[in-house]
Amino acid sequence: PFKVLFECLDIGNVLFAWYTLACERKVLLVSSQLSLLTVCAEILQSLLFPMRWSHLYIPVLPRSLSPMLDAPMPYLCGISRENFPYAVADISDETIVVDLDRNIITLGPNTPDLPPLPHKRRMKLESALKANAGEVFWEARNLCKEDVLNIRAAGDEVALSNLLGKAGAVWDEKMNTRDDAFNLAHAPDSMTLEFNDDARIDANDGKQSRWDAVQEAFLRFYVAMLQDYRKFLPVDASPDARTSWRGSDGVSEVRFRAEDFVLAQSPDFQPFLEELIGTQQFDDFVTKRMYNAGNAPDVTFFDQSIDAKKNRSKLKFKKVETPFLHSASAHKDLKSVDAVEPTAEGLPPLPEGQTAYMYKMWPLEFDESLFGRPRPIPKIISAEFDRMN
């Protein structure tokens, strides 16, 4: 499903939409296709890992609830293009509107400024996205980015207008069928037939898929930004001592030392980290890490991702074990199960002259003489159940 978001928005707008959520701004998704709203909202939320969106979340907002778009809190909502005109008067002037159909992001007049992303980390993140999903937006419109840039550089406005017009028609045709219950074949004159939707699909060769690489790129960003956060956790945090990492004057020793954490980081990291530590999602993350670390697989996964990053450093001589990451990789390798072919083995013999078991009508009572002994569960299936347990 990640492909859907990158078809709707180019790399720059995907990054901006994610960053607004990371900084807990008010975000409104708009599309003519209701199915796009929920899918794209879920994808954007998943890119926040190890954080989790902790505020108002309504991926498909009904017209009757449009006054909620003026709520005095961060939100991630979606609204259909049909209902959007009725909600304009209710939209907060701090809201960031993301048009999924047109690849346009509009900032409200009073939207708070976003802190700058660390340049080096942004370049690495953007480079990873371009390498794995850079052509998806253009392919969805039957375009090649290089062709567009070359025509634009040549100054041929007529050719550029024709190319973009054709691309817009391809995208409109493709997008307008998203909500159809059955996607029927396109007509022979459809421009969509010129587009190979299977382009750049990875072969099943054991390598990481490009969408795994996209998720990992965002994970690596958070790993780099928060790799030292455990040093600033309280030494002994008891659940009975306090239920929030912010602390108070009376129990300052049982809290996350946020100010010290920010000051200890690189100067270009500090603007973003100052914003991040003030968010509800970071509050929830650190609280979970302090009081529920042993039972939270997501926290364990993130902490061991940090350990894996440090293990790659040449300056670290004593490597830290990361068994949870190896387990996750093994689970991915085992997720494919071969289907068992149908067989008549173990079934009672068919009556003479019949080629299949069938009733002329649904029986009022079952004939127990027709019941056979249940066949044993195939080993390939029982092994999968054993692994899951």
Side-chain angles (χ1 to χ4, degrees):
F2 274 77
K3 185 178 181 181
V4 175
L5 178 65
F6 286 84
E7 285 181 337
C8 294
L9 303 176
D10 60 27
I11 297 295
N13 281 343
V14 169
L15 275 174
F16 190 82
W18 158 76
Y19 196 46
T20 58
L21 294 176
C23 296
E24 291 192 344
R25 299 297 191 258
K26 302 176 182 180
V27 178
L28 177 65
L29 307 180
V30 180
S31 177
S32 60
Q33 306 295 300
L34 294 179
S35 57
L36 280 180
L37 296 173
T38 300
V39 172
C40 291
E42 287 292 318
I43 295 171
L44 287 169
Q45 280 199 100
S46 72
L47 299 180
L48 296 173
F49 181 84
M51 308 298 159
R52 296 185 64 181
W53 184 253
S54 304
H55 294 280
L56 180 64
Y57 176 59
I58 309 177
V60 181
L61 188 74
R63 186 188 302 182
S64 60
L65 295 182
S66 61
M68 299 187 72
L69 296 177
D70 196 24
M73 67 186 74
Y75 57 71
L76 173 57
C77 294
I79 193 168
S80 67
R81 190 168 300 282
E82 179 184 1
N83 289 336
F84 183 69
Y86 300 96
V88 169
D90 297 314
I91 297 176
S92 167
D93 55 7
E94 298 180 354
T95 299
I96 297 165
V97 180
V98 180
D99 192 326
L100 298 173
D101 299 345
R102 301 170 182 169
N103 185 37
I104 296 174
I105 296 181
T106 307
L107 275 64
N110 293 324
T111 301
D113 292 335
L114 291 166
L117 272 171
H119 179 70
K120 185 177 180 181
R121 299 314 312 178
R122 177 190 171 90
M123 294 302 294
K124 284 192 173 184
L125 177 56
E126 193 169 357
S127 176
L129 296 184
K130 287 180 177 178
N132 292 285
E135 295 298 324
V136 172
F137 175 81
W138 304 96
E139 288 173 353
R141 292 154 179 80
N142 197 22
L143 287 175
C144 175
K145 185 177 181 179
E146 290 184 2
D147 292 343
V148 177
L149 295 179
N150 290 338
I151 294 176
R152 185 171 290 167
D156 191 341
E157 296 296 333
V158 175
L160 182 62
S161 177
N162 291 337
L163 186 65
L164 295 180
K166 180 179 178 181
V170 170
W171 174 243
D172 287 343
E173 184 181 73
K174 183 174 183 178
M175 181 195 61
N176 288 333
T177 62
R178 293 279 185 181
D179 284 348
D180 290 351
F182 302 98
N183 270 320
L184 302 179
H186 295 287
D189 59 349
S190 168
M191 284 184 290
T192 303
L193 293 179
E194 300 177 15
F195 171 61
N196 179 13
D197 195 42
D198 294 328
R200 290 191 66 214
I201 290 181
D202 298 295
N204 186 22
D205 55 3
K207 295 182 180 179
Q208 183 186 45
S209 76
R210 58 175 171 175
W211 302 118
D212 286 341
V214 165
Q215 288 179 284
E216 186 173 310
F218 285 95
L219 173 63
R220 284 176 177 264
F221 174 86
Y222 281 108
V223 165
M225 300 299 294
L226 301 174
Q227 59 181 315
D228 295 327
Y229 87 97
R230 287 176 288 183
K231 297 179 181 177
F232 301 90
L233 292 168
V235 176
D236 183 20
S238 168
D240 298 328
R242 188 165 182 84
T243 57
S244 172
W245 61 270
R246 293 188 185 277
S248 66
D249 295 337
V251 287
S252 59
E253 70 281 358
V254 187
R255 67 182 181 91
F256 181 74
R257 304 194 307 279
E259 297 82 3
D260 296 339
F261 167 63
V262 173
L263 292 174
Q265 307 309 309
S266 173
D268 60 330
F269 283 22
Q270 292 180 10
F272 169 71
L273 291 175
E274 287 176 356
E275 186 83 21
L276 181 65
I277 63 172
T279 62
Q280 182 64 44
Q281 55 190 322
F282 186 76
D283 190 329
D284 294 346
F285 168 74
V286 176
T287 301
K288 188 175 185 179
R289 174 62 178 81
M290 288 170 58
Y291 300 123
N292 196 30
N295 299 321
D298 54 338
V299 175
T300 303
F301 180 85
F302 183 68
D303 284 352
Q304 292 194 13
S305 296
I306 293 176
D307 293 335
K309 173 182 173 58
K310 293 181 176 180
N311 286 343
R312 292 191 292 269
S313 173
K314 295 180 180 179
L315 300 177
K316 190 174 181 65
F317 299 105
K318 187 177 181 180
K319 308 301 183 183
V320 178
E321 293 293 329
T322 56
F324 197 89
L325 299 186
H326 296 310
S327 175
S329 299
H331 179 75
K332 288 174 62 178
D333 293 338
L334 293 172
K335 67 181 179 182
S336 298
V337 178
D338 295 330
V340 180
E341 296 183 0
T343 174
E345 183 182 353
L347 293 177
L350 284 167
E352 186 176 354
Q354 291 191 16
T355 58
Y357 297 94
M358 62 179 62
Y359 291 102
K360 295 181 179 179
M361 58 176 291
W362 188 260
L364 299 177
E365 295 182 359
F366 289 114
D367 185 349
E368 294 185 6
S369 65
L370 297 178
F371 282 81
R373 293 187 61 185
R375 286 174 287 181
I377 299 176
K379 292 182 179 180
I380 191 173
I381 295 179
S382 60
E384 178 68 10
F385 278 114
D386 292 341
R387 186 188 63 79
M388 293 174 61
N389 294 330

